[in-house]
Amino acid sequence: MEGIQRFEGGYLLTNSYLAPTPGGGWVMIDAPIDADRWLDDLGVKPLALLLTHQHFDHVMTAAAISARGIPIHAWSRFDRSLTLEEVVRQWGMPFDVDAFEVDHTLEGRDRLEIDGLEPARRHVPGHSADRVVFHHAAAGALFAGDTLFAGSTGRPDLPGGDMDLLCRGIREKIYALPDETRVLPGHGPETRVGTEAAGNPFVRRD
């Protein structure tokens, strides 16, 4: 198994990724429904789970993965005000997130290093208050979560959302990356920084 691996799980078809580390291990990004079974199928135990944010569809198996001795890194500690459980219950979709421990909070940290991998974390709120993206420079990839999609952006109308803040963060912290950078989003297909900067109808580089 080589290169970045992708899994799509749950009702909202949420993406999870495995990224290789220089030391020969793997780092996992996000934990939707059945992501733990995906790890079993691959026979992989990641060295860490990185959360782009704590919306329910990205953390449904975080507790199960933590129980395997895999440390969790997230912008802030577990908080049900971030999971959207109350909101989705009003939509008629009762999802219950098992509480999990965030072993390493990223807010205020200058550096993140896991088995020789040093993904740059950039706080880009606007879809949620705790939104963070991870730039894997060696792979030329950005794990964007629900910040930027192919031809779209994350929703700003959920608790903690702010479209102006989101667009400013995308321009300053994502579009500043090389155009050829792969954007690996929380939903849907991958895209490129240059593609979105030139043609995304919601936020362009100018």
Side-chain angles (χ1 to χ4, degrees), residues 1 5-11 13-18 27-46 48-51 56-66 68 70:
M1 188 172 73
Q5 307 293 310
R6 181 180 77 96
F7 169 77
E8 188 178 65
Y11 178 77
L13 302 179
T14 303
N15 291 329
S16 178
Y17 299 93
L18 283 170
V27 168
M28 185 178 192
I29 296 90
D30 286 345
I33 292 173
D34 290 335
D36 51 343
R37 296 183 184 180
W38 177 49
L39 296 180
D40 291 339
D41 290 342
L42 295 176
V44 169
K45 181 180 179 180
L49 169 62
L50 310 183
L51 297 179
F56 72 98
D57 54 315
H58 293 259
V59 301
M60 288 297 290
T61 58
I65 290 168
S66 175
R68 301 180 179 198
I70 299 168

Side-chain angles (χ1 to χ4, degrees), residues 51-133:
L51 297 179
T52 63
H53 60 309
Q54 294 185 42
H55 282 179
F56 72 98
D57 54 315
H58 293 259
V59 301
M60 288 297 290
T61 58
I65 290 168
S66 175
R68 301 180 179 198
I70 299 168
I72 295 178
H73 299 248
W75 183 253
S76 56
R77 299 203 175 277
F78 175 78
D79 187 337
R80 291 205 183 273
S81 71
L82 298 172
T83 63
L84 295 186
E85 291 165 90
E86 291 300 322
V87 174
V88 297
R89 286 192 184 98
Q90 295 173 18
W91 297 346
M93 299 190 302
F95 287 97
D96 293 310
V97 174
D98 291 334
F100 54 87
E101 184 74 22
V102 174
D103 302 279
H104 304 283
T105 55
L106 300 176
E107 185 175 8
R109 287 178 61 185
D110 295 328
R111 183 170 174 265
L112 172 62
E113 189 275 331
I114 302 167
D115 196 34
L117 177 66
E118 296 189 42
R121 84 289 179 277
R122 301 168 184 233
H123 185 219
V124 188
H127 171 66
S128 63
D130 64 326
R131 279 290 303 115
V132 61
V133 300

